[in-house]
Amino acid sequence: MTTAPSRSADAAAEIPALAEAVERRRNFAIISHPDAGKTTLTEKLLLYGGAIQQAGAVKAKGEQRKVTSDWMELEKQRGISITSTVLQFDYAGSTINLLDTPGHQDFSEDTYRTLAAADNAVMLEDAAKGLEPQTRKLFEVCRLRRIPIFTFINKMDRPGREPLELLDEIEQELGLACWPVNWPIGSGDRFRGVIDRRTHQVVLFQRAERGRQSQERILSAEDAAASGLVEPELLQAALEELELLEGAGADLDLEQVHAGELSPVFFGSAMTNFGVRPFLDAFLELAQRPTARSSSEGPVDPLRPGFSGFVFKLQANMDPRHRDRVAFVRVCSGKFEKDMTVQHARSGRSIRLSRPQKLFGQDREVVDDAYPGDVIGLNNPGMFAIGDTLYVGPKVEYEGIPCFSPEIFAWLRNPNPSAFKSFRKGVNELREEGAVQVLYDTDPSRRDPILAAVGQLQLEVVQYRLEHEYGVKTRLEPMEFTVARWVSGGWPALERVGRIFNCRTVRDAWDRPVLLFRNDWNLNQLREDHPELELSAVAPVVSGVEPIAL
Ligand code: G4P
């Protein structure tokens, strides 16, 4: 008599396939300041993956979009990009997941959360501008998570700052060591290409009309000089600088790269598609594969046979025809399969995932399977919250995603008491989705919520969505605070210090004390008066507790 193979034998048989899928996967997000060229670079990367057929497809804004929701209408009106999407494409035997992030800095909270799902980050700089405020902020988030950072210095076809100066700025200001993988020959009008540091080959930049692609031509340094296309003094200067770098620096240490301590640096011009392919090839070679993630049970290896993942983003009304809500899940271990029944760690419930989706920009299709490093979209009838873990097999619960310090605060008033039910539903759902943070007065009789955001536009989107999706017109009453700090020891720690001045105490959605200050000066004053009070700019992660609803 033959017996059916056991489940564990099935699982063991799956491991080589799983290992192969993990080995193929690369996942990254681009961090940059608006206008550095993120959209342009994304588009060129997708062209290599064959994921889009023509330049301009990613930038297609407004009417060209197939699916446009109400608040994407707002994006159209303002010409900004608020939503983030996931773009998956295959290139050179790898499956690449590009976690796209909103372009506008007012939505950086959304970017922070997306970075929690990223294994690598590409820091994109404009060669003329160097480090810019938004890049610095996002870099700090990467640093918190020790995400490997690849640097792409863009717009080399235009006059820019000295390459050595740009690297020095990164090293000095961010404390991030740099390892140039290629080195530019000349700059601006006299930009002639780059030298690959490892092969010493020259990739020639051929100037084309604006918007046209530079054809790729690779030569040895001698041939480049002989070709007459590169002025000998420029080539000589670049080779000398390379020599200097080699004299000063050690080898490219992958361990340091993966620990987020050393950044491979590339020079190029996304608009002319110069340096993008060499960057992509080197990135595939050097980037971190999906790795073990911290959880309540210690690090979880991606090769753990049971599926597990966490929700890093919620988005409502992506498709206004269905009024749906989607939870984006980063797969961390095992193979995910359609129709799988998984455990929801926070509630302890079992859920069958019958219509998981793969998202590509605004398009979606039902996905049959997914592997660590991938992102899937799940329909979310209000069950999932940001940070929730889903798993199969022995229980795991991933570390939650912290909330970052908001900088803008306003009372949200509902002038029409008969609309209170819709108001409450809207505020609760938008908070769950992470569209905005919600704080409450310590006096329970003052029921109006305080909205706390990173940027003003975030508040506008909340008001707009409350009106268009929930049918409630609201009024915002700005508060004069600009800084929020969580009290590490909670209410008891706050009670121990007694009365405090020049700040306002409020509660967050988990009933934890948050102090609001007008400015850093007031914050520093409190620190001086009460050095024993431990304050944090990042909200401690909560798990297993239901938030306060309005
Ligand atoms: P973002 O998503 O980071 O905000 O930047 P985006 O790609 O939209 O690029 C911002 C501007 O910089 C665009 O010009 C784009 O064409 C230009 N740009 C991007 N990469 C390069 C580059 O390598 N070299 C040069 N010279 N320019 C580059 P725009 O005038 O705002 O838009 P468009 O008219 O070109 O579409």
Side-chain angles (χ1 to χ4, degrees):
M1 193 176 84
T2 52
T3 49
S6 69
R7 281 189 71 82
S8 61
D10 281 351
E14 288 214 335
I15 287 184
L18 181 61
E20 193 269 333
V22 170
E23 179 53 34
R24 276 169 60 88
R25 293 261 172 333
R26 307 286 185 281
N27 149 323
F28 72 102
I30 300 178
I31 58 170
S32 65
H33 193 83
D35 264 358
K38 185 160 71 77
T39 314
T40 314
L41 180 65
T42 301
E43 183 177 281
K44 296 294 155 27
L45 291 170
L46 294 180
L47 281 170
Y48 282 104
I52 55 170
Q53 302 309 321
Q54 70 192 66
V58 173
K59 262 207 148 157
K61 289 188 178 151
E63 61 283 357
Q64 286 177 33
R65 280 191 174 146
K66 270 195 249 130
V67 183
T68 312
S69 77
D70 292 348
W71 54 300
M72 284 170 194
E73 187 67 25
L74 185 70
E75 294 186 332
K76 213 159 74 176
Q77 287 169 13
R78 305 290 288 256
I80 51 169
S81 130
I82 299 170
T83 40
S84 42
T85 50
V86 187
L87 306 164
Q88 187 182 71
F89 59 98
D90 288 332
Y91 171 75
S94 295
T95 299
I96 301 161
N97 290 300
L98 198 179
L99 308 178
D100 192 16
T101 50
H104 199 285
Q105 65 207 48
D106 280 9
F107 296 92
S108 44
E109 257 201 285
D110 210 11
T111 307
Y112 300 156
R113 290 191 287 259
T114 299
L115 288 172
D119 295 324
N120 301 278
V122 171
M123 179 164 80
L124 182 66
E125 272 192 24
D126 179 331
K129 298 196 174 139
L131 283 176
E132 293 182 86
Q134 185 66 2
T135 328
R136 286 173 218 262
K137 262 196 190 174
L138 295 172
F139 169 80
E140 287 308 327
V141 180
C142 294
R143 161 139 299 168
L144 269 176
R145 295 207 35 245
R146 295 165 63 89
I147 301 179
I149 307 224
F150 293 76
T151 304
F152 188 91
I153 302 201
N154 192 28
K155 307 198 186 183
M156 288 302 293
D157 57 302
R158 290 213 310 216
R161 288 167 53 189
E162 281 297 319
L164 280 171
E165 193 187 306
L166 291 168
L167 298 196
D168 204 44
E169 185 179 61
I170 297 174
E171 302 204 341
Q172 298 300 321
E173 290 197 26
L174 305 182
L176 175 67
C178 291
W179 202 95
V181 178
N182 59 31
W183 194 251
I185 308 171
S187 72
D189 287 347
R190 299 184 81 207
F191 178 58
R192 300 290 176 254
V194 291
I195 306 175
D196 184 306
R197 179 162 171 188
R198 294 183 292 181
T199 61
H200 275 223
Q201 281 181 318
V202 173
V203 187
L204 276 185
F205 172 68
Q206 291 169 304
R207 199 167 286 276
E209 274 171 43
R210 186 178 156 78
R212 299 271 298 278
Q213 313 284 302
S214 162
Q215 295 302 317
E216 194 172 297
R217 197 163 155 201
I218 302 174
L219 300 170
S220 67
E222 296 75 36
D223 289 346
S227 70
L229 294 167
V230 182
E231 293 87 331
E233 73 276 14
L234 289 183
L235 186 60
Q236 194 53 34
L239 285 167
E240 277 168 17
E241 280 171 338
L242 251 190
E243 222 166 274
L244 265 179
L245 287 173
E246 266 157 30
D251 287 344
L252 178 57
D253 180 342
L254 260 191
E255 238 172 71
Q256 272 186 295
V257 173
H258 292 174
E261 291 161 3
L262 179 67
S263 179
V265 179
F266 303 80
F267 292 85
S269 156
M271 189 182 79
T272 55
N273 201 2
F274 178 79
V276 177
R277 191 218 34 93
F279 160 72
L280 187 55
D281 285 343
F283 174 78
L284 294 183
E285 176 195 334
L286 304 172
Q288 174 165 260
R289 307 335 184 224
T291 53
R293 295 213 149 219
S294 307
S295 80
S296 56
E297 311 303 309
V300 177
D301 194 278
L303 300 185
R304 170 193 189 266
F307 156 76
S308 68
F310 66 90
V311 177
F312 67 93
K313 180 184 164 67
L314 301 177
Q315 198 164 301
N317 300 339
M318 288 185 72
D319 183 345
R321 287 168 307 187
H322 303 300
R323 291 259 164 230
D324 60 349
R325 295 206 280 167
V326 176
F328 290 72
V329 175
R330 145 87 200 214
V331 180
C332 297
S333 76
K335 179 182 177 185
F336 172 84
E337 283 171 285
K338 181 171 166 289
D339 292 326
M340 209 171 210
T341 298
V342 302
Q343 300 299 311
H344 180 236
R346 186 163 50 90
S347 67
R349 285 168 59 182
S350 298
I351 313 168
R352 182 158 176 262
L353 302 176
S354 52
R355 281 188 63 79
Q357 295 166 346
K358 184 162 130 183
L359 300 103
F360 186 88
Q362 306 296 323
D363 299 330
R364 311 179 212 179
E365 60 186 66
V366 171
V367 64
D368 292 323
D369 49 32
Y371 292 93
D374 290 346
V375 171
I376 47 173
L378 303 176
N379 276 330
N380 177 32
M383 157 136 231
F384 303 127
I386 288 171
D388 280 1
T389 300
L390 303 175
Y391 66 93
V392 169
K395 180 167 181 177
V396 286
E397 193 156 15
Y398 289 102
E399 278 180 355
I401 300 177
C403 289
F404 289 86
S405 183
E407 292 162 23
I408 295 177
F409 306 84
W411 289 107
L412 182 69
R413 310 285 190 202
N414 165 33
N416 178 5
S418 66
F420 182 73
K421 261 177 110 174
S422 308
F423 176 71
R424 180 166 64 188
K425 185 169 190 292
V427 171
N428 289 338
E429 289 187 0
L430 293 175
R431 185 196 53 73
E432 257 172 45
E433 195 185 304
V436 72
Q437 292 183 44
V438 178
L439 302 170
Y440 304 93
D441 201 294
T442 46
D443 174 356
S445 67
R446 303 180 99 188
R447 288 180 81 179
D448 285 348
I450 299 165
L451 300 188
V454 174
Q456 185 65 34
L457 259 176
Q458 224 180 317
L459 299 185
E460 282 181 38
V461 168
V462 167
Q463 269 197 304
Y464 185 96
R465 292 184 60 186
L466 282 171
E467 186 177 343
H468 291 84
E469 293 168 28
Y470 299 91
V472 258
K473 266 196 188 296
T474 53
R475 198 160 41 80
L476 277 179
E477 236 170 71
M479 298 170 93
E480 70 274 20
F481 306 110
T482 63
V483 182
R485 288 292 179 270
W486 277 263
V487 179
S488 300
W491 296 107
L494 199 56
E495 271 153 30
R496 274 196 297 277
V497 297
R499 268 193 88 178
I500 49 176
F501 299 94
N502 291 326
C503 72
R504 181 181 187 130
T505 308
V506 294
R507 301 177 294 146
D508 74 1
W510 284 269
D511 197 22
R512 299 174 299 188
V514 183
L515 305 181
L516 306 184
F517 302 87
R518 279 190 197 183
N519 47 42
D520 283 327
W521 196 83
N522 284 344
L523 165 64
N524 290 335
Q525 204 178 15
L526 180 74
R527 283 208 168 114
E528 269 172 35
D529 293 349
H530 299 285
E532 72 281 19
L533 197 61
E534 241 185 85
L535 301 174
S536 163
V538 179
V541 168
V542 262
S543 118
V545 190
E546 287 299 323
I548 305 172
L550 181 65

